Amino acid sequence: MNDKMVKALNEQINNELYASYLYLSMSAWFETQNWPGFAKWMKVQSQEEYEHAMKIYDFLIDRGQTVVLAAIAAPKAEWKKPIDAFKDAMAHEKKVTGNFQDLTDLAIKLKDHATQIFLSWFVTEQVEEEKNADEVIQALVKIGDSTGALFMLDRQLGKRED
Ligand SMILES: [Fe+2]
Ligand SMILES: [Fe+2]
């Protein structure tokens, strides 16, 4: 594999682990705010991001490349309101979508078809990721300051298993 591609995929492992860390931090914050449903949703999302990192990790190993793990930046730990956390989640997902566009561009440039096909799963996944975050944001916009409705959404999101 081309060195640039390997380096970029290693960086993406870090981006996914950071995402996992960010969602875990959001989960912990929701726990302090006594919103167990939002906390559960974020915890499941954190686990999903860890799995994304591992997908890339396994791909590099399968292709006989070296995985190099870098330091994971500390995520934000506090938000003013639930919607602010989800807006940050959305912003991060958009950034990750951009990462996969760039990675795919690089794979195409290098004529690395195996990596390009591997990356296509993530390109599709990012559509889902942005949709999931946006759905919660739209619900929170409608809810506004209604505590009763917020309780109902918290209960609903707490049912997330994967
Ligand atoms: Fe991800
Ligand atoms: Fe994600």
Side-chain angles (χ1 to χ4, degrees), residues 22-23 26 42 84-94 133:
L22 176 65
Y23 287 124
M26 288 174 175
M42 286 295 180
D84 297 326
F86 280 92
K87 279 183 177 170
D88 278 0
M90 184 63 172
H92 187 73
E93 289 302 335
K94 283 190 168 159

Side-chain angles (χ1 to χ4, degrees), residues 41-156:
W41 193 95
M42 286 295 180
K43 207 174 186 180
V44 172
Q45 187 62 36
S46 172
Q47 191 60 39
E48 199 174 281
E49 299 298 352
Y50 173 77
E51 283 161 17
H52 292 167
M54 291 311 291
K55 238 185 194 350
I56 304 169
Y57 173 102
D58 288 336
F59 178 74
L60 284 172
I61 293 195
D62 286 349
R63 296 195 74 193
Q65 304 301 319
T66 307
V67 168
V68 183
L69 298 176
I72 305 164
K76 203 165 144 180
E78 262 178 276
W79 289 265
K80 276 209 179 83
K81 290 182 293 177
I83 196 168
D84 297 326
F86 280 92
K87 279 183 177 170
D88 278 0
M90 184 63 172
H92 187 73
E93 289 302 335
K94 283 190 168 159
K95 201 179 144 228
V96 170
T97 299
N99 293 149
F100 282 109
Q101 306 267 28
D102 294 345
L103 285 162
T104 303
D105 285 347
L106 183 63
I108 289 168
K109 199 180 130 206
L110 295 169
K111 297 184 167 44
D112 183 344
H113 297 281
T115 302
Q116 191 195 332
I117 291 164
F118 167 72
L119 289 169
S120 70
W121 182 88
F122 287 95
V123 173
T124 308
E125 173 69 10
Q126 280 311 116
V127 175
E128 192 67 24
E129 293 276 84
E130 287 191 24
K131 183 188 136 215
N132 292 343
D134 191 55
E135 271 175 7
V136 181
I137 291 170
Q138 294 313 316
L140 287 167
V141 167
K142 281 194 190 124
I143 285 167
D145 293 325
S146 163
T147 308
L150 201 54
F151 264 103
M152 284 172 71
L153 182 64
D154 183 68
R155 193 181 300 172
Q156 187 198 322

